[in-house]
Amino acid sequence: MVEADSPGKLFIRGLNTETNEKALEAVFGKYGRIVEVYLMKDCETNKSRGFAFITFEIPADAKDAARDMNGKSLDGKAIKVEQATKPSFESGRRGPPPPPRSRGPPRVLRGGRGGSGGTRGPPSRGGQMDDWWIFHKF
């Protein structure tokens, strides 16, 4: 697939759920050679989610298509057409993504912060408070 912020890639939203790839190619193909039409579909129903990406071979053709088609009606719905860009949460970040948070077992806290000075957690089974989490279902 072509990079999300390539100059020849358009984002089209507001599509009729009946609009398919062939219809998009027919309408946008008059502006130039299309490299890819990627219609986003629901995984379960395989119906259109109402938006698509179209990549043109020549970025100037994509610009012309965006200018002319933005706000036009396609299959009875007004569509929005604009240059595709990466989401702001990705483009503003520097470096690799942060590591995932640990989902290990909870720690058992011992006293020392006031209160009765006992441990937190369920009542003891034979005095083994440190192992209470082994029997606890998460």
Side-chain angles (χ1 to χ4, degrees), residues 24 29 31 38 41 50 52 54 57 66 93 113 131-132:
L24 290 169
Y31 293 97
Y38 192 69
K41 295 181 180 180
I54 297 178
E57 186 175 291
R93 185 188 311 149
R113 292 191 190 177
D131 296 329
W132 75 268

Side-chain angles (χ1 to χ4, degrees), residues 17-37:
T17 56
E18 300 301 316
T19 301
N20 61 27
E21 292 93 339
K22 289 183 187 225
L24 290 169
E25 199 162 347
V27 170
F28 284 88
K30 66 183 179 183
Y31 293 97
R33 186 171 182 280
I34 294 175
V35 175
E36 177 183 45
V37 175

Side-chain angles (χ1 to χ4, degrees), residues 28-136:
F28 284 88
K30 66 183 179 183
Y31 293 97
R33 186 171 182 280
I34 294 175
V35 175
E36 177 183 45
V37 175
Y38 192 69
L39 180 64
M40 302 304 290
K41 295 181 180 180
D42 182 273
C43 295
E44 293 178 15
T45 65
N46 205 32
K47 278 196 150 203
S48 168
R49 292 179 57 201
F51 66 99
F53 295 93
I54 297 178
T55 306
F56 285 85
E57 186 175 291
I58 300 171
D61 294 341
K63 221 176 213 185
D64 292 342
R67 183 190 63 238
D68 292 351
M69 291 300 297
N70 188 37
K72 293 282 174 38
S73 180
L74 178 61
D75 292 335
K77 288 194 73 178
I79 60 172
K80 300 284 185 190
V81 183
E82 56 196 43
Q83 176 72 39
T85 58
K86 287 185 178 180
S88 61
F89 66 87
E90 284 185 15
S91 61
R93 185 188 311 149
R94 291 183 181 201
R101 291 188 175 183
S102 173
R103 294 220 179 246
R107 293 188 219 160
V108 176
L109 301 176
R110 300 236 175 223
R113 292 191 190 177
S116 65
T119 58
R120 291 176 56 179
S124 174
R125 292 186 185 205
Q128 296 295 325
M129 289 300 290
D130 290 342
D131 296 329
W132 75 268
W133 60 270
I134 293 173
F135 303 103
H136 185 77

